[in-house]
Amino acid sequence: MDEQPGLSDQYRKSSPWPLFVAFGLALFEVGIVMAEVLFPVAVGGMLMFVGSVVGILRESEYIRNPWKGLVVSAGVAFLVGGALWTLTTGSIRLRGTAILVGGVVLLVGGIAGALWQPQAI
């Protein structure tokens, strides 16, 4: 009798990243809804979401270096956040601001990580 029926030897582990993707999106939206008090939570939720997506890409071996993934994600954040900030008003503009601030943190973190650990893991 199999101890673990239905599991292949190739796929023995489960990934924690989907939980953090969902939690990051939820934090981002809570921070936007209560922006006067919790704007940093929105930025933190955005960072958790993007970091988790980069972690998923690294774990599934779509990217080799997560630091470069963070820098590319910062560029996407600048494009999306800048478009939301310039083209909209109200709470949508606030989302753009949170995405832009998160993009700055992603860029700084990606560059600092690449300098601190230049070789690909």
Side-chain angles (χ1 to χ4, degrees):
M1 187 167 197
D2 269 349
E3 291 177 16
Q4 295 176 340
L7 288 179
S8 169
D9 287 338
Q10 184 181 5
Y11 305 108
R12 285 237 176 237
K13 62 181 180 176
S14 65
S15 177
W17 297 116
L19 175 69
F20 293 114
V21 168
F23 194 56
L25 284 175
L27 282 176
F28 181 76
E29 286 302 318
V30 166
I32 293 299
V33 169
M34 305 173 113
E36 288 129 14
V37 181
L38 298 177
F39 184 77
V41 172
V43 174
M46 185 258 189
L47 294 175
M48 182 182 288
F49 171 73
V50 173
S52 299
V53 170
V54 170
I56 288 171
L57 293 174
R58 171 66 183 107
E59 186 178 274
S60 61
E61 297 178 356
Y62 284 113
I63 60 174
R64 194 179 294 163
N65 190 343
W67 304 115
K68 290 179 183 175
L70 288 178
V71 172
V72 170
S73 299
V76 172
F78 288 140
L79 290 174
V80 171
L84 288 175
W85 194 81
T86 57
L87 300 175
T88 61
T89 60
S91 68
I92 303 297
R93 186 174 213 173
L94 189 62
R95 282 179 175 85
T97 305
I99 292 171
L100 283 172
V101 171
V104 170
V105 174
L106 286 171
L107 183 64
V108 169
I111 291 172
L115 292 174
W116 178 63
Q117 186 179 13
Q119 72 277 6
I121 297 174

